[in-house]
């Protein structure tokens, strides 16, 4: 064993003796973040909506008018082009895929039997890939560059293969890299020629409001760009308050063209007689408007940024001189993408586990759980306390250092 390997082993062994037990496998808000919205418990002095609707009863499958207006203001679209339903946008994404498989989307036939294919920018969100895998949709990897998916590859694929029915997109502060799509990329996605007339962009705007700096990054409006390019039905935008208010008790929405909203309403009306309008009502009363949400998210950022800074500081201190290692420095979102030399992600995660740190499984950021180079590790700094995340980042760095040196 080399001197460097001996040193790495000694540092790792010493760290492991601390006996940590930390689970960083998901990007969960910390209790202190959830506390920021505890006024939800008192935000419902009555159950009547602004138009007199009794929120306790059935009906309004697309959501309360004021809930639609709230998301319309947040997403920059007319309230009529918004449907509010469920407590998590992932549920809406799953249902949209199922409706497309069984019934088709406006302008197309049911996807079932057509052997549908989705493009997946990688590294990406594992739950998107789980939906496709569970529902029999083949996935094709597309490299994610600094400004979004590699559009030369995307445009070539969609132009020549009518089986490609859609593409997953996390356009701002992507999970896990923090990538922000450039306006040029957004416009190319909106305007590109597709062999499938019923192609859909599944636009997961999960981190739209989740800034870590005062920059508050803005990107081009995909719905407006699609309409301008002559493809008004191409994109379906998904968002929620899952990491704005309470992660398990938020409200979710989709925004789309009138034709897509009518399509959604028709099929969702078979599934449900109406959403939880009481929860919608209390969120409307707490969150009020875009300015109130922005102010709340700055309070989230004040809690999150020190944790991200702690991770970055530990990585810099322990990994700055390790060849082939890099990591992202996101301006928002919930994750840092730690990139190892090829072949070392799985080994690093196993060593971190032995030291008491549970991370997202290797390969999770790729379809079918297969990272071709075994090099990406998703770091989720949000849930542990600041002292805990500082120790965890040190442990992850020492695990990687040992994996490479051994």
């Amino acid at each position: 064993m080399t001197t460097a390997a001996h040193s790495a082993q000694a540092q790792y062994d010493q760290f492991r003796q601390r006996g940590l037990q930390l689970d960083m496998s998901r990007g969960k808000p910390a209790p202190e973040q959830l506390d920021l919205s505890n006024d939800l418990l008192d935000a419902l002095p009555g159950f009547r909506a602004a138009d007199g609707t009794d929120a306790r009863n059935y009906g309004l499958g697309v959501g309360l008018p004021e809930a639609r207006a709230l998301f319309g203001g947040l997403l920059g679209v007319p309230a009529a082009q918004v449907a509010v339903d469920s407590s998590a946008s992932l549920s809406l994404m799953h249902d949209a895929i199922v409706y497309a498989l069984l019934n088709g989307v406006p302008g197309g036939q049911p996807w079932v039997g057509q052997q549908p294919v989705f493009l997946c920018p990688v590294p990406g969100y594992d739950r998107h890939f789980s939906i496709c895998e569970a529902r029999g949709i083949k996935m094709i990897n597309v490299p994610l560059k600094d400004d979004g998916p590699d559009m030369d590859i995307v445009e070539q694929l969609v132009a020549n293969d009518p089986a490609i029915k859609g593409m997953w997109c996390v356009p701002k502060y992507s999970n896990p890299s923090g990538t922000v799509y450039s306006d040029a990329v957004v416009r190319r996605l909106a305007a590109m020629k597709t062999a499938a007339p019923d192609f859909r962009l599944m636009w997961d705007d999960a981190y739209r409001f989740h800034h870590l700096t005062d920059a508050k990054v803005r990107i081009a409006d995909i719905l407006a760009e699609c309409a301008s390019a002559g493809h008004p039905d191409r994109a379906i935008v998904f968002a929620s308050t899952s990491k704005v208010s309470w992660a398990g008790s938020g409200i979710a929405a989709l925004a789309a063209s009138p034709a897509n909203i009518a399509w959604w309403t028709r099929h969702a009306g078979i599934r449900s007689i109406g959403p939880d309008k009481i929860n919608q009502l209390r969120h409307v009363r707490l969150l009020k408007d875009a300015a109130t949400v922005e102010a709340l998210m700055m309070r989230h950022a004040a809690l999150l940024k020190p944790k991200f800074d702690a991770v970055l500081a530990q990585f810099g201190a322990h990994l700055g001189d390790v060849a082939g290692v890099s990591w992202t420095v996101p301006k928002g979102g919930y994750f840092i993408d730690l990139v190892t030399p090829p072949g070392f992600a799985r080994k690093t995660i196993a060593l971190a586990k032995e030291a008491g740190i549970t991370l997202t499984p290797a390969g999770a950021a790729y379809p079918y759980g297969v990272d071709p180079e075994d090099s990406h590790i998703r770091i989720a700094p949000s849930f542990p306390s600041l002292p805990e995340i500082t120790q965890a980042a040190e442990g992850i760095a020492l695990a990687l250092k040992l994996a490479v040196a051994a």
Side-chain angles (χ1 to χ4, degrees):
M1 185 179 286
T2 66
T3 301
H6 274 293
S7 175
Q9 184 71 60
Q11 291 180 67
Y12 172 81
D13 289 342
Q14 185 177 14
F15 179 89
R16 190 169 58 174
Q17 291 174 8
R18 298 182 192 178
L20 290 186
Q21 289 298 322
L22 290 176
D23 187 343
M24 297 172 56
S25 58
R26 304 303 315 183
K28 294 169 57 176
E32 295 79 10
Q33 291 178 260
L34 301 176
D35 287 345
L36 296 176
S37 295
N38 280 350
D39 285 347
L40 278 170
L41 292 171
D42 302 314
L44 201 66
F47 48 79
R48 296 283 179 182
D51 64 356
T53 295
D54 186 338
R56 301 172 301 176
N57 220 326
Y58 294 131
L60 292 178
V62 289
L64 288 173
E66 51 261 64
R68 300 176 77 188
L70 172 63
F71 271 106
L74 293 173
L75 299 174
V77 297
Q81 288 180 232
V82 176
V84 183
D85 193 358
S86 185
S87 62
S89 55
L90 188 67
S91 300
L92 305 187
M93 291 179 233
H94 172 269
D95 286 354
I97 292 291
V98 170
Y99 298 158
L101 286 167
L102 297 179
N103 306 286
V105 298
Q109 298 299 312
W111 291 355
V112 166
Q114 297 188 53
Q115 297 182 317
V117 176
F118 258 56
L119 300 186
C120 299
V122 291
Y125 181 29
D126 54 329
R127 295 197 184 274
H128 290 163
F129 309 148
S130 294
I131 290 174
C132 283
E133 187 171 5
R135 300 296 165 240
I137 297 174
K138 179 183 175 181
M139 294 174 278
I140 296 177
N141 294 358
V142 174
L144 189 63
K145 301 167 65 177
D146 290 342
D147 63 347
D150 188 321
M151 286 306 300
D152 291 340
I153 294 175
V154 171
E155 288 169 337
Q156 181 180 18
L157 288 170
V158 299
N160 294 301
D161 189 352
I164 298 176
K165 298 295 186 180
M167 178 175 173
W168 292 108
C169 297
V170 183
K172 186 192 288 189
Y173 310 140
S174 291
N175 175 354
S177 65
T179 300
V180 176
Y181 288 19
S182 70
D183 289 355
V185 164
V186 174
R187 291 175 183 132
R188 287 176 73 175
L189 287 167
M192 64 188 182
K193 295 180 180 179
T194 64
D198 52 351
F199 178 88
R200 289 294 181 271
L201 292 170
M202 300 289 282
W203 201 259
D204 184 358
D205 217 349
Y207 306 107
R208 184 182 183 96
F209 325 113
H210 298 75
H211 317 291
L212 287 172
T213 72
D214 293 333
K216 298 180 183 179
V217 174
R218 311 293 181 189
I219 65 172
D221 182 338
I222 186 61
L223 292 176
E225 294 296 338
C226 285
S228 179
H231 306 125
D233 300 333
R234 174 166 290 178
I236 304 177
V237 178
F238 300 89
S240 77
T241 68
S242 289
K243 292 183 176 69
V244 174
S245 59
W246 289 343
S249 304
I251 55 174
L254 63 85
S257 67
N260 279 334
I261 291 295
W263 166 82
W264 169 268
T265 303
R266 183 167 63 254
H267 298 301
I270 304 299
R271 172 176 61 84
S272 170
I273 304 174
D276 180 351
K277 295 177 290 298
I278 289 291
N279 198 28
Q280 292 183 15
L281 193 57
R282 65 179 182 170
H283 272 82
V284 167
R285 290 175 177 171
L286 178 72
L287 300 179
K288 296 182 176 64
D289 53 30
T292 304
V293 170
E294 289 280 10
L296 174 59
M297 295 316 295
M298 287 298 97
R299 296 175 70 192
H300 278 271
L303 294 171
L304 283 170
K305 191 173 187 303
K307 297 181 181 183
F308 277 75
D309 289 345
V311 172
L312 298 173
Q314 291 295 322
F315 286 177
H318 294 284
L319 299 172
D321 60 351
V322 180
V325 174
S326 64
W327 53 88
T328 57
V329 182
K331 294 181 179 180
Y334 260 63
F335 303 99
I336 295 168
D337 186 24
L338 175 60
V339 184
T340 77
F344 287 98
R346 195 174 302 276
K347 184 176 181 181
T348 299
I349 290 170
L351 286 169
K353 179 71 173 178
E354 290 178 21
I357 304 163
T358 300
L359 298 172
T360 306
Y366 283 75
Y368 311 108
V370 179
D371 176 353
E373 294 194 341
D374 184 27
S375 63
H376 289 269
I377 301 174
R378 187 175 76 180
I379 307 298
S382 57
F383 187 76
S385 67
L386 182 56
E388 288 173 336
I389 195 62
T390 302
Q391 289 191 79
E394 180 187 1
I396 295 165
L398 293 178
L400 175 52
K401 201 170 183 178
L402 175 59
V404 173

